[in-house]
Amino acid sequence: MTTSKLPSGKYRTRIYIDGKQLSFTAETKRESIRLANQAMNMHSFSRITIMQCVDAYIESKEKMLSPATIREYKNTRKYFEPIAHIKTDKIKRADIQKFVSDLSMNHSPKTVKNIYGVLSASLDLISDLRFKIDLPQKQLIEYNIPSEREFQLLIENASPELRKCILLAGIGTLRRGEISALTFADLNGNDLHVHSCMVKNEFNEWVIKQPKTTTSNRHVILPSFVVDLLGEGKQDAHIVSMLPVSITDAFCDLRDSLGLHCRFHDLRHYSISLAHSLGIPDKVMMDKSGICNDSTFKKIYRNTIEADAKTYNDLLNEYFEQKIKADV
């Protein structure tokens, strides 16, 4: 590498890559050298394998993203085995398309999209090249929102600890990780401060961390009967002595024993959908549930409970029967 000052006052740095001379001109010597070093690094990176590229991307994000996200990224590594050995400067669109198509045969569209997202971001580290890849179409998600009677059945038949979880999710709109992270210091009268979440880190250990978004740090006002059921304890004691996975397992056992089909997360859908049917403004429920994206709220959570939908449809049809039929 050699750097010289040009008659124009600018600086030019020359390097050789594979026997070819490349030059980089800039206003300052430092910038000229930086551009040359960047080119050499890019060339060095272009000769690594796809798996090495993915690992480099994950490593570059370890200090920026949550432990749970890094763990999810590392869990995607196993999916790259079919193309892991290909050099990044040799990868073709056809290779990536076949990789995505093969994944789609055994995995959901969401899983395929997430895996491809890691691959695409990894390749962005070393190249501005963009491949036009066809991803599988999104599946229409069907939610099994429990009815009011089903919600009551779950509460009545749950163990004391699981009952706390069901009430916190179905009335407080908390996620299971948020429930497991709660301590009695977070409860002040009827005001519950939700500001932490229990997740697994990259070592598969349960840890408590800050929420992903600022809107997840919120205050939820609980009914008095729920506060009474939560009980009392030392400030640093957990309100619920169950890990997130234990909540899911216990809930599934209870649900199956009652012949129901909802997931634990559907309890949040129940609460938000009920609020919507009662005419409570979306903004109020977005704040309560910690949802920051309005389109996500409307797309996923604005579901009318089936019983209410039937009532409204019957009401509408009755109107047509009385007002329109006479004129037909």
Side-chain angles (χ1 to χ4, degrees), residues 266-283:
D266 288 328
L267 298 178
R268 271 167 57 88
H269 300 177
Y270 162 79
S271 182
I272 298 171
S273 296
L274 177 61
H276 180 68
S277 70
L278 293 174
I280 295 175
D282 288 353
K283 182 63 169 65

Side-chain angles (χ1 to χ4, degrees), residues 21 34 47 76 92 133 135 152 222 253 272 301 326:
Q21 178 179 279
R34 187 191 70 79
R47 298 189 175 190
T76 65
K92 306 296 184 185
I133 303 299
L135 297 174
Q152 287 283 359
L222 297 172
D253 289 342
I272 298 171
Y301 295 110

